[in-house]
Amino acid sequence: MNQYLPLKVRPFVGSPIWWDFSCYFQTYYMEWDGPRSYFGYYFTASSTHVDGAGSSISFDFNPVLVSGSSYRTQLVVNGYIMNTDPLGTGQPAYTFAASATWNNFAYNLDFT
C-alpha cells in the first residue's frame, strides 16, 4: 500500500491557514464471522503532518451485539501522536479536540 494522501485542513471555512494532515494509507482488512463483518484502515503520518513523523491512526469498524441476534457497527479510533505540542495547543488540548472530532464523525455514520 503506502499510498501518499496530501491532506490539508483549514481550521474554519475561509481561513487563510492550512494545517498539514498528509499521511500514508498503509493497510486495510476485512474479516467475516458469519453475518458479521469486521473491517478497518491504518494510516501513518508523513514527515510534515502536524502530529509528527511516526504518528499513526487506525479506524476499526466492529459489530456489537445489541440484543438477541441484532448487531450494530461500532467505530473504534486509535491514534498515536508523536508531536508533544501539535498546532501549538499542547497535546492534551489537541487530543481532546481530536477525540471530539472523531466522536462526531462516528455519530454521523450510517450503515443502513
Side-chain angles (χ1 to χ4, degrees), residues 60-105:
D60 297 292
F61 297 83
N62 304 317
V64 175
L65 183 63
V66 177
S67 66
S69 62
S70 178
Y71 288 83
R72 66 177 175 79
T73 300
Q74 177 185 44
L75 170 62
V76 178
V77 179
N78 288 295
Y80 182 74
I81 303 169
M82 292 293 294
N83 188 348
T84 58
D85 193 19
L87 303 176
T89 63
Q91 200 176 63
Y94 181 78
T95 301
F96 178 82
S99 295
T101 299
W102 291 119
N103 280 332
N104 188 51
F105 175 78

Side-chain angles (χ1 to χ4, degrees), residues 5-109:
L5 304 171
L7 303 175
K8 307 288 186 204
V9 176
R10 288 182 177 183
F12 54 88
V13 175
S15 171
I17 299 170
W18 291 86
W19 293 332
D20 189 331
F21 283 88
S22 299
C23 60
Y24 293 91
F25 174 62
Q26 295 297 334
T27 189
Y28 71 94
Y29 71 91
M30 180 169 272
E31 300 171 7
W32 299 94
D33 179 18
R36 299 178 299 274
S37 65
Y38 298 78
F39 60 99
Y41 307 91
Y42 178 70
F43 301 84
T44 55
S46 72
S47 61
T48 58
H49 192 291
V50 297
D51 289 357
S55 300
S56 62
I57 192 166
S58 65
F59 302 89
D60 297 292
F61 297 83
N62 304 317
V64 175
L65 183 63
V66 177
S67 66
S69 62
S70 178
Y71 288 83
R72 66 177 175 79
T73 300
Q74 177 185 44
L75 170 62
V76 178
V77 179
N78 288 295
Y80 182 74
I81 303 169
M82 292 293 294
N83 188 348
T84 58
D85 193 19
L87 303 176
T89 63
Q91 200 176 63
Y94 181 78
T95 301
F96 178 82
S99 295
T101 299
W102 291 119
N103 280 332
N104 188 51
F105 175 78
Y107 179 79
N108 287 302
L109 288 176

